[in-house]
Amino acid sequence: MTRMGTPFDARTTAAEILAGVDLTGRRIIVTGGASGIGLETVRALRGAGAEVTVATRNPTGDQRALDLSDLGSVRAFVAGWIGPVHAIVANAGIMALPTRQVAANGWELQLATNFLGHFALITGLRENLRQAGDARVVMVSSGAQLLSPFDFDDPHFERRPYDPWVAYAQSKTADALLAVGAARRWAADGITANALEPGYIHTNLQRHLDDDTMRAAGAMDDEGNLVTPDYYKTPEQGASTSVLLAASPLLDSVTGRYFSSDNQEAEKVPGGTAGVAAWSVDPAAADRLWEYALTATAAR
């Protein structure tokens, strides 16, 4: 399969992705849309005329409550949704918690929030996505997926030593595999599913990182002030690939793919520092993960 290219690059903003695009009448859900790249995703989609529902843990105004680590909250959100949904942007997430934390049901918190809660939301709204006729599922993964496959034997670190980055990495691998799994199952319903990495951006996602880690990344000076390396993107640029997958006509009928932060489809690689890991787009792993997640979310 030939990799897909677009006329955009890493410095394209979300608004530029949608220049001239009319999204009037399209209903879109963005999780974690109250800050960071989620907020910029919402702004760009609304600017093009979409009706956007912001699903967030601490809602204000017209936002709707959604705690992805709490299946009761996810089910309440699903039950309260009426009518079609044209796109779900699974943007909310947490990263590199320094110590192992678990949700109320015992799930490791990064996996619960980044993947299992989104899986329950998306599968719970499948009929609403089908009603749209041409719906899109957008999974915000991460370049961290290159660091670890999904560990089916011990996904919640109940036996192996907890590692903040391995936990984050496997949750983002799972997000990419969710897109593959949905693409394989839902094409007949007119539903496409793709995943992406947004790149490096200063947002609240880094709130759990210590100063030494930030300095090693070149994102903080010796006095503790944030600095912006050349390879970092602005939030407006960071939201571009989410918006590309959620609403650009270029992605009509495109499904089961993974896009890098330069707004191009990523090269599949065995490992390394760029591209998408083979384990993150492996159909057999996607099918196995889908069955695991169905059982896990049904049993809680």
Side-chain angles (χ1 to χ4, degrees):
M1 181 172 62
T2 303
R3 280 194 291 145
M4 179 181 175
T6 78
F8 308 118
D9 60 30
R11 298 303 172 188
T12 303
T13 66
E16 290 169 342
I17 294 284
L18 295 181
V21 176
D22 183 4
L23 300 179
T24 302
R26 298 191 71 82
R27 305 174 75 207
I28 300 175
I29 297 168
V30 179
T31 68
S35 65
I37 65 170
L39 176 60
E40 297 304 329
T41 299
V42 171
R43 285 174 172 163
L45 293 170
R46 284 179 174 168
E51 175 190 328
V52 183
T53 296
V54 176
T56 183
R57 187 172 182 176
N58 299 303
T60 60
D62 61 354
Q63 300 168 0
R64 292 184 58 182
L66 177 63
D67 181 350
L68 289 160
S69 69
D70 178 355
L71 280 183
S73 175
V74 176
R75 288 167 180 154
F77 184 97
V78 168
W81 188 271
I82 298 173
V85 57
H86 296 85
I88 299 174
V89 181
N91 166 82
I94 52 177
M95 181 175 72
L97 297 176
T99 59
R100 180 178 181 268
Q101 298 182 38
V102 296
N105 56 20
W107 290 341
E108 189 276 317
L109 197 56
Q110 292 184 82
L111 190 63
T113 302
N114 298 349
F115 169 64
L116 285 166
H118 278 126
F119 179 88
L121 175 70
I122 291 163
T123 55
L125 290 172
R126 177 182 178 176
E127 175 58 23
N128 307 85
L129 289 162
R130 187 196 65 77
Q131 289 174 21
D134 59 349
R136 301 183 182 190
V137 172
V138 179
M139 301 303 303
V140 180
S141 181
S142 165
Q145 48 79 26
L146 288 157
L147 301 177
S148 175
F150 189 84
D151 189 325
F152 289 96
D153 295 325
D154 188 19
H156 299 289
F157 292 83
E158 294 170 310
R159 295 180 299 279
R160 55 181 168 147
Y162 174 77
D163 181 285
W165 287 109
V166 173
Y168 179 66
Q170 79 151 3
S171 75
K172 290 302 179 177
T173 292
D175 284 341
L177 289 171
L178 191 160
V180 175
R184 287 166 62 78
R185 287 162 175 77
W186 295 353
D189 291 332
I191 302 167
T192 62
N194 295 286
L196 69 110
E197 60 186 68
Y200 292 89
I201 310 107
H202 279 305
T203 70
N204 289 336
L205 189 64
Q206 292 92 39
R207 63 188 179 276
H208 298 293
L209 303 188
D210 60 34
D211 290 356
D212 287 342
T213 299
M214 293 293 287
R215 290 190 183 100
M220 180 178 285
D221 64 22
D222 291 339
E223 285 70 47
N225 303 305
L226 292 180
V227 296
T228 304
D230 290 342
Y231 66 87
Y232 265 54
K233 301 168 70 172
T234 67
E236 294 87 352
Q237 294 166 343
S240 63
T241 316
S242 296
V243 169
L244 175 75
L245 271 55
S248 172
L250 295 176
L251 270 289
D252 287 349
S253 301
V254 173
T255 193
R257 305 197 187 198
Y258 184 99
F259 285 73
S260 292
S261 59
D262 59 358
N263 289 299
Q264 312 297 320
E265 185 179 356
E267 179 183 4
K268 185 167 70 173
V269 297
T273 58
V276 59
W279 59 58
S280 295
V281 289
D282 177 57
D287 288 346
R288 185 180 179 188
L289 182 65
W290 193 277
E291 294 306 315
Y292 162 78
L294 279 178
T295 300
T297 55
R300 301 286 176 160

